[in-house]
Amino acid sequence: MTAQQPYTSSVAELIDRAARRSREQSRDSTLGHREALEELSDVWDECRKTGWDGYGALPVEQDTLRMAYTLVESLPLGFPRPSIGAEPDGQLTLEWRKTPRRILSVSVDPDGYLHYAGLFGTNKRYGSLAYFSTAPVELLQLVRDL
């Protein structure tokens, strides 16, 4: 039995290190998402009533907030954090900006669609993506292309 104890001990240490590393990554990811989710909450607090912009803007509805929240939560570990904003039509916006000529803006609507427009140097890309509960691969690639 003594011959197996060092092996068992090594395996236990390996599993313990892997579990610790996983917890740290989860904590870091939660902290990264937490900042974006806090910004999302702040924007919603400011924009959930009609006329929040002083010019008759539509309110951001709870369904829109829920869609944006799940989208932020579904972003992969280590993914760049978007800036959060609201639009006068009641949609929430996630924006990734690398430079003034490399920017992607994604509008989240309450019906499960993401409408995007991006400037990638001299190229422009725009379109709509259906969103269910995980970030669409196309969206992740657009952000990576910045």
Side-chain angles (χ1 to χ4, degrees):
M1 288 258 176
T2 57
Q4 288 184 344
Q5 285 178 339
Y7 175 76
T8 304
S9 177
S10 296
V11 170
E13 288 174 13
L14 180 66
I15 291 170
D16 184 54
R17 277 195 308 266
R20 213 172 321 129
R21 192 170 35 248
S22 176
R23 281 192 303 272
E24 288 170 3
Q25 287 175 337
S26 267
R27 187 188 71 236
D28 292 344
S29 169
T30 301
L31 290 173
H33 289 332
R34 186 179 69 203
E35 289 175 3
L37 295 173
E38 285 174 358
E39 185 178 1
L40 179 60
S41 176
D42 291 344
V43 169
W44 187 69
D45 281 343
E46 293 176 17
C47 304
R48 62 184 174 171
K49 294 186 178 165
T50 302
W52 55 265
D53 66 347
Y55 297 99
L58 295 175
V60 174
E61 298 176 9
Q62 283 187 339
D63 287 341
T64 306
L65 174 66
R66 189 175 8 263
M67 294 300 283
Y69 187 94
T70 59
L71 178 59
V72 169
E73 279 194 322
S74 72
L75 296 174
L77 293 175
F79 203 73
R81 184 173 79 83
S83 296
I84 312 291
E87 300 175 10
D89 64 359
Q91 294 187 7
L92 288 165
T93 303
L94 282 64
E95 184 176 280
W96 289 267
R97 178 185 297 260
K98 191 168 184 180
T99 68
R101 304 239 2 119
R102 300 192 83 66
I103 184 169
L104 177 67
S105 180
V106 178
S107 295
V108 179
D109 78 20
D111 298 321
Y113 288 95
L114 306 175
H115 308 283
Y116 67 91
L119 184 59
F120 298 81
T122 58
N123 298 318
K124 298 175 186 176
R125 295 188 213 167
Y126 56 90
S128 296
L129 301 167
Y131 171 68
F132 298 103
S133 62
T134 57
V137 173
E138 298 93 335
L139 172 63
L140 300 178
Q141 190 58 51
L142 286 166
V143 174
R144 288 182 184 115
D145 288 349
L146 284 177

